[in-house]
Amino acid sequence: MNTAVSKPATHPAKVTIEVVAKRAGVSKGLVSFALNNRPGVAPETRVRILQVAKELGWKPSLRARSLSTQRSYALGLVIARNPDVLASDPFFPSFIAGVESILAPEGRALVLSVVPDAETELKTYRSLVADGRVDGVFLSDLRHGDPRIPLLAELGLPAVTLGRPDGASPFPAVTVDDTPGVIASVAHLATLGHRRIAHVAGSSTLLHGSRRRAAFAAAVREAGLPEGQTIETDFSVAAGSDATRRLLTQETPPTAIVYANDPMAIAGLGMAHELGVRVPDELSITGYDDIDICRYVYPPLTTVSAAPMVWGRAAASTLLALMENGSADDVDLPAARLVIRGSTAPPRG
Amino acid sequence: MNTAVSKPATHPAKVTIEVVAKRAGVSKGLVSFALNNRPGVAPETRVRILQVAKELGWKPSLRARSLSTQRSYALGLVIARNPDVLASDPFFPSFIAGVESILAPEGRALVLSVVPDAETELKTYRSLVADGRVDGVFLSDLRHGDPRIPLLAELGLPAVTLGRPDGASPFPAVTVDDTPGVIASVAHLATLGHRRIAHVAGSSTLLHGSRRRAAFAAAVREAGLPEGQTIETDFSVAAGSDATRRLLTQETPPTAIVYANDPMAIAGLGMAHELGVRVPDELSITGYDDIDICRYVYPPLTTVSAAPMVWGRAAASTLLALMENGSADDVDLPAARLVIRGSTAPPRG
DNA sequence: TAGCCTGTCTAAACCGGTTCAGTGTGGACC
DNA sequence: GGTCCACACTGAACCGGTTTAGACAGGCTA
């Protein structure tokens, strides 16, 4: 008996490179060549193959291609943060939106990992590589002597650092210099007449945390002011609030506070209100990031505007270029700049 | 600086299933069986194979496995939002942290896409499926008659909806009911003595936007109050601020405003300050989400606490169960509950 | 006319797993 | 002692691409 098995009519038989080749009357290999714009295919044959491929609606299987090329066509981002801090930080959503705007048209995907601590973070990089999930990664939140750099170098995984690391690095850096913004904040306050300016800093294990802190100290010296009081935090709003209370309940409190990020500045604003300290009359406040909400608190926040989406785009482009060419140049984006709003004013007589 | 990636100097000969098989003196197939806990392997053989695999440090290649099993061992999340709104919304970072806490131990990855509009969103789902990037997806920000549901059903991609969709859906829903929180907000305000309560709603094209709005209307009726004024927004802080101005500059402004999310409520707080309307003395305010910063603005915000991390965990578990068993039950998480803080008080006599 | 490229194309190996038909062995049963 | 079966295991096909060695035709040179 001849068994005529009827296919389940629903699925129109998967189109593979084999099918395209047969239909175009050539071999698999040639279809592959034509698709990848490789030399050695007669022009009219190439056209015919691509025409057939189009007719059949063939898209090469990413999985099969991955296996033979040993690449995944995806990039990775690992974020090691306390979920609370992460949630109030608007940097990553914007950064990711920027990254996506570059990756999507290239047919690449972004693999995201959010991990609780630095140890898990290293493990995550290891397994991303071991599983071949990604062809390259973004390195954010650089730390002093960042262990991720040697690790990735050892693993041979292309990477781009967000900002310049403090040690040697084989990877291109895409940088938004945050120093000028902090310096401008202090200069702005000094010009207004403030002499006791304090700083609520981020974590000094993070490079940008300590860099902003150093910039603050330098700017205060530069302005010929007495050394500014600095309190280190973990970037969380809770810590920002606490630090503000400590600063304002001293005998001679500062007349201005420079915060290392906007959420802490907003929390500081709240604490000032609570303590009956009027902003900006009795206390001037500056933030960092220029998140959307800064414009709408009262008084609107003077802050430093970075451009995380642009940063994301530049980082993605650089990483793709690195993977394509084996090398890529560092990119220096326009420095973050001060945006003056209502939360800063001359100190009260 | 121009940086090139240097490959790791030592290539310790890649360990494949072939190598393990040879070393253990069995065939590839048997190694595969042993690894996947399939029956038909003698107990001591299984032990020996696993032992050898461990010695050699063999990890099966995800890529090869993907090709033969036609699965990617990754899940997808597509977020269609204006980057500004996304940045100020703390939901996703927390949600993702929750999702990751389930996926990571399972060796699954999360593929994230951030797209600008609903049209691109559908295309993105199509290409995630076409490329076989993911085995399942999370559906957030449900809309009325959401086109993603039939699309994904047609594509045969497993999915989990965050909340119950309004139409028929073949997918399990993981829900945090937001209605009780809104009702509790209104009831709380009514109990305090407010009679003119307004609502700054989110986009009514989003299911949760219109559901919160309906809950608000119902609660106002329930409390025997005159119909509350409602202004629809796009969830952005700018819109929240504008809406607040419109409400407060009327002849008889409301004495309380219920906001559909926290960022808008905080912007509303700012606007009230700007207009010289004291909170909570002259105006009570409630938010929704209980983001970290609520506690630290002044006055601290009365809001509704959802638990996005828990939600993420539940959604991830459900999606994995769905993929494993072919079906999964709906999950109803504890309803979001009202957290009373300083931004609500009896209306000024 | 032979010899040698050059350009086009094919066949087959390869990536590294999974899966399935089938082989061989030993014990239970009759 | 022969039959049957369960179990353990092998070999090869398969997933769907990429890549390489080599076949073949035609034009050019010597």
Side-chain angles (χ1 to χ4, degrees), chain A residues 241-287:
Chain A
S241 180
D242 283 353
T244 307
R245 158 168 279 139
R246 278 170 53 196
L247 287 170
L248 295 183
T249 52
Q250 297 173 114
E251 206 154 328
T252 47
T255 63
I257 303 179
V258 172
Y259 290 85
N261 74 3
D262 284 342
M264 291 199 296
I266 292 172
L269 197 57
M271 178 53 73
H273 271 294
E274 183 179 333
L275 296 174
V277 175
R278 286 180 316 168
V279 177
D281 300 338
E282 300 171 283
L283 177 70
S284 284
I285 279 181
T286 71

Tab-separated table of all heavy atoms in Angstrom, chain A residues 241-287:
chain	number	residue	atom	x	y	z
A	241	SER	N	18.157	61.287	51.331
A	241	SER	CA	17.324	61.959	52.316
A	241	SER	C	18.049	62.065	53.661
A	241	SER	O	18.118	63.130	54.277
A	241	SER	CB	16.012	61.180	52.457
A	241	SER	OG	15.173	61.773	53.398
A	242	ASP	N	18.620	60.950	54.086
A	242	ASP	CA	19.362	60.918	55.357
A	242	ASP	C	20.515	61.913	55.354
A	242	ASP	O	20.720	62.652	56.322
A	242	ASP	CB	19.953	59.521	55.591
A	242	ASP	CG	18.896	58.545	56.048
A	242	ASP	OD1	17.757	58.996	56.305
A	242	ASP	OD2	19.205	57.342	56.143
A	243	ALA	N	21.261	61.878	54.277
A	243	ALA	CA	22.425	62.754	54.188
A	243	ALA	C	21.992	64.211	54.325
A	243	ALA	O	22.654	65.015	54.997
A	243	ALA	CB	23.147	62.531	52.865
A	244	THR	N	20.879	64.518	53.709
A	244	THR	CA	20.393	65.898	53.758
A	244	THR	C	20.044	66.294	55.196
A	244	THR	O	20.378	67.386	55.656
A	244	THR	CB	19.151	66.049	52.863
A	244	THR	OG1	19.474	65.566	51.555
A	244	THR	CG2	18.725	67.510	52.783
A	245	ARG	N	19.378	65.376	55.875
A	245	ARG	CA	19.042	65.670	57.273
A	245	ARG	C	20.296	65.946	58.083
A	245	ARG	O	20.362	66.926	58.831
A	245	ARG	CB	18.263	64.512	57.890
A	245	ARG	CG	18.343	64.491	59.417
A	245	ARG	CD	17.375	63.540	60.065
A	245	ARG	NE	16.057	64.137	60.154
A	245	ARG	CZ	14.920	63.506	59.918
A	245	ARG	NH1	14.951	62.247	59.532
A	245	ARG	NH2	13.756	64.123	60.038
A	246	ARG	N	21.298	65.080	57.896
A	246	ARG	CA	22.541	65.283	58.645
A	246	ARG	C	23.157	66.637	58.331
A	246	ARG	O	23.608	67.351	59.237
A	246	ARG	CB	23.546	64.170	58.327
A	246	ARG	CG	23.277	62.914	59.139
A	246	ARG	CD	24.113	61.742	58.664
A	246	ARG	NE	25.543	62.018	58.603
A	246	ARG	CZ	26.422	61.273	57.942
A	246	ARG	NH1	26.008	60.221	57.265
A	246	ARG	NH2	27.696	61.575	57.959
A	247	LEU	N	23.150	66.980	57.073
A	247	LEU	CA	23.768	68.253	56.688
A	247	LEU	C	23.012	69.443	57.263
A	247	LEU	O	23.611	70.407	57.756
A	247	LEU	CB	23.817	68.379	55.157
A	247	LEU	CG	24.849	67.487	54.447
A	247	LEU	CD1	24.641	67.526	52.934
A	247	LEU	CD2	26.261	67.939	54.811
A	248	LEU	N	21.700	69.379	57.227
A	248	LEU	CA	20.906	70.554	57.575
A	248	LEU	C	20.705	70.720	59.077
A	248	LEU	O	20.339	71.809	59.535
A	248	LEU	CB	19.547	70.510	56.869
A	248	LEU	CG	19.611	70.603	55.341
A	248	LEU	CD1	18.210	70.619	54.743
A	248	LEU	CD2	20.391	71.843	54.897
A	249	THR	N	20.929	69.659	59.818
A	249	THR	CA	20.700	69.780	61.259
A	249	THR	C	21.996	70.095	62.007
A	249	THR	O	22.042	70.032	63.232
A	249	THR	CB	20.083	68.475	61.820
A	249	THR	OG1	20.893	67.375	61.418
A	249	THR	CG2	18.677	68.285	61.322
A	250	GLN	N	23.052	70.408	61.265
A	250	GLN	CA	24.292	70.816	61.924
A	250	GLN	C	24.172	72.240	62.442
A	250	GLN	O	23.252	72.974	62.094
A	250	GLN	CB	25.436	70.785	60.906
A	250	GLN	CG	25.737	69.432	60.342
A	250	GLN	CD	26.751	69.542	59.222
A	250	GLN	OE1	27.854	69.059	59.356
A	250	GLN	NE2	26.376	70.207	58.146
A	251	GLU	N	25.167	72.610	63.194
A	251	GLU	CA	25.137	73.965	63.747
A	251	GLU	C	25.173	75.013	62.631
A	251	GLU	O	24.345	75.906	62.573
A	251	GLU	CB	26.346	74.151	64.670
A	251	GLU	CG	26.083	75.208	65.721
A	251	GLU	CD	26.948	74.951	66.942
A	251	GLU	OE1	27.240	73.757	67.233
A	251	GLU	OE2	27.337	75.933	67.582
A	252	THR	N	26.186	74.873	61.779
A	252	THR	CA	26.222	75.773	60.617
A	252	THR	C	26.061	74.955	59.344
A	252	THR	O	27.035	74.475	58.784
A	252	THR	CB	27.563	76.531	60.534
A	252	THR	OG1	28.624	75.588	60.732
A	252	THR	CG2	27.644	77.623	61.562
A	253	PRO	N	24.818	74.807	58.947
A	253	PRO	CA	24.542	73.979	57.774
A	253	PRO	C	25.024	74.656	56.492
A	253	PRO	O	25.208	75.865	56.465
A	253	PRO	CB	23.022	73.847	57.781
A	253	PRO	CG	22.529	75.029	58.533
A	253	PRO	CD	23.596	75.400	59.513
A	254	PRO	N	25.235	73.876	55.461
A	254	PRO	CA	25.601	74.470	54.175
A	254	PRO	C	24.438	75.298	53.631
A	254	PRO	O	23.286	75.091	54.021
A	254	PRO	CB	25.856	73.243	53.291
A	254	PRO	CG	25.059	72.151	53.919
A	254	PRO	CD	25.067	72.416	55.388
A	255	THR	N	24.767	76.198	52.736
A	255	THR	CA	23.695	76.977	52.087
A	255	THR	C	23.373	76.401	50.717
A	255	THR	O	22.452	76.874	50.053
A	255	THR	CB	24.114	78.454	51.928
A	255	THR	OG1	25.267	78.517	51.053
A	255	THR	CG2	24.474	79.068	53.270
A	256	ALA	N	24.162	75.438	50.323
A	256	ALA	CA	23.890	74.805	49.025
A	256	ALA	C	24.358	73.355	49.070
A	256	ALA	O	25.352	73.040	49.718
A	256	ALA	CB	24.593	75.543	47.897
A	257	ILE	N	23.624	72.491	48.377
A	257	ILE	CA	24.011	71.085	48.310
A	257	ILE	C	24.018	70.630	46.849
A	257	ILE	O	23.052	70.855	46.108
A	257	ILE	CB	23.040	70.186	49.109
A	257	ILE	CG1	22.963	70.637	50.571
A	257	ILE	CG2	23.484	68.724	49.036
A	257	ILE	CD1	21.999	69.816	51.418
A	258	VAL	N	25.113	69.999	46.486
A	258	VAL	CA	25.245	69.421	45.147
A	258	VAL	C	25.037	67.914	45.273
A	258	VAL	O	25.807	67.244	45.966
A	258	VAL	CB	26.645	69.712	44.578
A	258	VAL	CG1	26.868	68.961	43.265
A	258	VAL	CG2	26.842	71.214	44.379
A	259	TYR	N	24.012	67.412	44.637
A	259	TYR	CA	23.708	65.983	44.714
A	259	TYR	C	24.265	65.246	43.504
A	259	TYR	O	24.298	65.799	42.403
A	259	TYR	CB	22.198	65.761	44.778
A	259	TYR	CG	21.590	66.199	46.082
A	259	TYR	CD1	21.216	67.530	46.277
A	259	TYR	CD2	21.389	65.308	47.127
A	259	TYR	CE1	20.653	67.946	47.473
A	259	TYR	CE2	20.833	65.706	48.330
A	259	TYR	CZ	20.461	67.031	48.492
A	259	TYR	OH	19.910	67.439	49.679
A	260	ALA	N	24.625	63.985	43.724
A	260	ALA	CA	25.234	63.205	42.643
A	260	ALA	C	24.212	62.625	41.667
A	260	ALA	O	24.572	62.148	40.600
A	260	ALA	CB	26.087	62.081	43.210
A	261	ASN	N	22.946	62.666	42.050
A	261	ASN	CA	21.913	62.323	41.061
A	261	ASN	C	20.584	62.991	41.427
A	261	ASN	O	20.415	63.515	42.540
A	261	ASN	CB	21.768	60.800	40.879
A	261	ASN	CG	21.064	60.121	42.040
A	261	ASN	OD1	20.612	60.757	42.989
A	261	ASN	ND2	20.978	58.801	41.953
A	262	ASP	N	19.673	62.972	40.495
A	262	ASP	CA	18.414	63.685	40.684
A	262	ASP	C	17.499	63.079	41.745
A	262	ASP	O	16.914	63.821	42.551
A	262	ASP	CB	17.652	63.769	39.362
A	262	ASP	CG	18.249	64.807	38.425
A	262	ASP	OD1	19.004	65.674	38.914
A	262	ASP	OD2	17.953	64.769	37.226
A	263	PRO	N	17.322	61.785	41.766
A	263	PRO	CA	16.427	61.235	42.786
A	263	PRO	C	16.861	61.650	44.197
A	263	PRO	O	16.018	62.023	45.029
A	263	PRO	CB	16.547	59.725	42.582
A	263	PRO	CG	16.870	59.568	41.130
A	263	PRO	CD	17.766	60.736	40.809
A	264	MET	N	18.169	61.637	44.462
A	264	MET	CA	18.624	62.080	45.786
A	264	MET	C	18.333	63.564	45.987
A	264	MET	O	17.972	63.996	47.090
A	264	MET	CB	20.117	61.799	45.958
A	264	MET	CG	20.452	60.327	46.055
A	264	MET	SD	22.088	60.011	46.793
A	264	MET	CE	23.167	60.750	45.596
A	265	ALA	N	18.495	64.335	44.935
A	265	ALA	CA	18.224	65.773	45.058
A	265	ALA	C	16.749	66.011	45.384
A	265	ALA	O	16.403	66.863	46.208
A	265	ALA	CB	18.617	66.487	43.772
A	266	ILE	N	15.898	65.229	44.737
A	266	ILE	CA	14.466	65.398	44.999
A	266	ILE	C	14.146	64.980	46.430
A	266	ILE	O	13.362	65.637	47.128
A	266	ILE	CB	13.645	64.586	43.974
A	266	ILE	CG1	13.815	65.223	42.591
A	266	ILE	CG2	12.183	64.531	44.359
A	266	ILE	CD1	13.213	64.426	41.445
A	267	ALA	N	14.769	63.912	46.867
A	267	ALA	CA	14.580	63.504	48.261
A	267	ALA	C	15.118	64.589	49.199
A	267	ALA	O	14.540	64.851	50.259
A	267	ALA	CB	15.302	62.179	48.517
A	268	GLY	N	16.217	65.214	48.798
A	268	GLY	CA	16.786	66.289	49.597
A	268	GLY	C	15.830	67.467	49.693
A	268	GLY	O	15.652	68.071	50.752
A	269	LEU	N	15.204	67.740	48.582
A	269	LEU	CA	14.201	68.800	48.529
A	269	LEU	C	13.090	68.500	49.543
A	269	LEU	O	12.650	69.379	50.304
A	269	LEU	CB	13.630	68.845	47.112
A	269	LEU	CG	12.854	70.060	46.635
A	269	LEU	CD1	13.692	71.314	46.763
A	269	LEU	CD2	12.418	69.858	45.175
A	270	GLY	N	12.656	67.253	49.544
A	270	GLY	CA	11.614	66.845	50.469
A	270	GLY	C	12.057	67.032	51.916
A	270	GLY	O	11.312	67.533	52.762
A	271	MET	N	13.291	66.608	52.190
A	271	MET	CA	13.799	66.724	53.549
A	271	MET	C	13.905	68.189	53.976
A	271	MET	O	13.577	68.548	55.109
A	271	MET	CB	15.173	66.025	53.633
A	271	MET	CG	15.848	66.100	54.984
A	271	MET	SD	14.798	65.541	56.366
A	271	MET	CE	14.807	63.773	56.063
A	272	ALA	N	14.342	69.039	53.064
A	272	ALA	CA	14.438	70.461	53.369
A	272	ALA	C	13.056	71.009	53.745
A	272	ALA	O	12.891	71.694	54.762
A	272	ALA	CB	15.009	71.222	52.170
A	273	HIS	N	12.080	70.650	52.938
A	273	HIS	CA	10.703	71.054	53.238
A	273	HIS	C	10.321	70.603	54.632
A	273	HIS	O	9.798	71.369	55.439
A	273	HIS	CB	9.735	70.397	52.239
A	273	HIS	CG	9.505	71.202	51.011
A	273	HIS	ND1	8.867	72.411	50.996
A	273	HIS	CD2	9.843	70.952	49.718
A	273	HIS	CE1	8.801	72.873	49.756
A	273	HIS	NE2	9.404	72.007	48.956
A	274	GLU	N	10.601	69.346	54.898
A	274	GLU	CA	10.208	68.775	56.182
A	274	GLU	C	10.835	69.529	57.329
A	274	GLU	O	10.218	69.725	58.381
A	274	GLU	CB	10.615	67.296	56.215
A	274	GLU	CG	10.176	66.595	57.491
A	274	GLU	CD	10.572	65.127	57.492
A	274	GLU	OE1	10.697	64.544	56.391
A	274	GLU	OE2	10.758	64.575	58.592
A	275	LEU	N	12.094	69.926	57.135
A	275	LEU	CA	12.812	70.621	58.202
A	275	LEU	C	12.491	72.118	58.232
A	275	LEU	O	13.055	72.871	59.033
A	275	LEU	CB	14.324	70.419	58.034
A	275	LEU	CG	14.831	68.978	58.158
A	275	LEU	CD1	16.301	68.901	57.819
A	275	LEU	CD2	14.555	68.437	59.567
A	276	GLY	N	11.632	72.515	57.315
A	276	GLY	CA	11.278	73.927	57.287
A	276	GLY	C	12.351	74.819	56.684
A	276	GLY	O	12.375	76.028	56.896
A	277	VAL	N	13.231	74.211	55.927
A	277	VAL	CA	14.270	74.990	55.242
A	277	VAL	C	13.759	75.298	53.839
A	277	VAL	O	13.458	74.382	53.082
A	277	VAL	CB	15.581	74.184	55.156
A	277	VAL	CG1	16.626	74.942	54.341
A	277	VAL	CG2	16.087	73.848	56.539
A	278	ARG	N	13.661	76.598	53.523
A	278	ARG	CA	13.060	76.933	52.240
A	278	ARG	C	14.073	76.886	51.102
A	278	ARG	O	15.195	77.376	51.240
A	278	ARG	CB	12.397	78.302	52.319
A	278	ARG	CG	11.094	78.244	53.133
A	278	ARG	CD	10.467	79.586	53.202
A	278	ARG	NE	11.497	80.600	53.493
A	278	ARG	CZ	11.305	81.904	53.388
A	278	ARG	NH1	10.125	82.360	53.017
A	278	ARG	NH2	12.276	82.747	53.654
A	279	VAL	N	13.645	76.275	49.997
A	279	VAL	CA	14.469	76.172	48.790
A	279	VAL	C	13.837	77.068	47.732
A	279	VAL	O	12.625	76.957	47.500
A	279	VAL	CB	14.518	74.710	48.285
A	279	VAL	CG1	15.323	74.618	46.984
A	279	VAL	CG2	15.104	73.795	49.354
A	280	PRO	N	14.551	77.980	47.113
A	280	PRO	CA	15.996	78.173	47.212
A	280	PRO	C	16.419	79.274	48.202
A	280	PRO	O	17.605	79.542	48.299
A	280	PRO	CB	16.357	78.610	45.788
A	280	PRO	CG	15.184	79.413	45.347
A	280	PRO	CD	13.981	78.797	46.015
A	281	ASP	N	15.455	79.844	48.919
A	281	ASP	CA	15.807	81.006	49.758
A	281	ASP	C	16.882	80.668	50.789
A	281	ASP	O	17.857	81.395	50.950
A	281	ASP	CB	14.561	81.533	50.487
A	281	ASP	CG	13.496	81.952	49.493
A	281	ASP	OD1	13.865	82.221	48.325
A	281	ASP	OD2	12.310	81.992	49.869
A	282	GLU	N	16.688	79.556	51.475
A	282	GLU	CA	17.648	79.214	52.520
A	282	GLU	C	18.619	78.115	52.103
A	282	GLU	O	19.639	77.913	52.748
A	282	GLU	CB	16.891	78.754	53.777
A	282	GLU	CG	15.967	79.841	54.312
A	282	GLU	CD	15.067	79.303	55.409
A	282	GLU	OE1	14.081	78.605	55.095
A	282	GLU	OE2	15.364	79.573	56.588
A	283	LEU	N	18.263	77.439	51.077
A	283	LEU	CA	19.125	76.338	50.618
A	283	LEU	C	18.995	76.184	49.106
A	283	LEU	O	17.882	76.108	48.576
A	283	LEU	CB	18.692	75.023	51.287
A	283	LEU	CG	19.456	73.772	50.835
A	283	LEU	CD1	20.902	73.793	51.336
A	283	LEU	CD2	18.734	72.504	51.303
A	284	SER	N	20.133	76.169	48.457
A	284	SER	CA	20.136	75.887	47.020
A	284	SER	C	20.481	74.417	46.800
A	284	SER	O	21.255	73.840	47.559
A	284	SER	CB	21.150	76.769	46.291
A	284	SER	OG	20.634	78.076	46.157
A	285	ILE	N	19.896	73.861	45.744
A	285	ILE	CA	20.061	72.440	45.488
A	285	ILE	C	20.337	72.197	43.999
A	285	ILE	O	19.695	72.811	43.145
A	285	ILE	CB	18.757	71.692	45.900
A	285	ILE	CG1	18.747	71.464	47.405
A	285	ILE	CG2	18.608	70.391	45.146
A	285	ILE	CD1	17.530	70.733	47.902
A	286	THR	N	21.289	71.329	43.711
A	286	THR	CA	21.470	70.904	42.320
A	286	THR	C	21.500	69.388	42.246
A	286	THR	O	21.934	68.714	43.168
A	286	THR	CB	22.783	71.428	41.699
A	286	THR	OG1	23.898	70.745	42.297
A	286	THR	CG2	22.956	72.929	41.930
A	287	GLY	N	21.055	68.890	41.112
A	287	GLY	CA	21.018	67.442	40.906
A	287	GLY	C	21.967	67.026	39.796
A	287	GLY	O	22.853	67.779	39.396
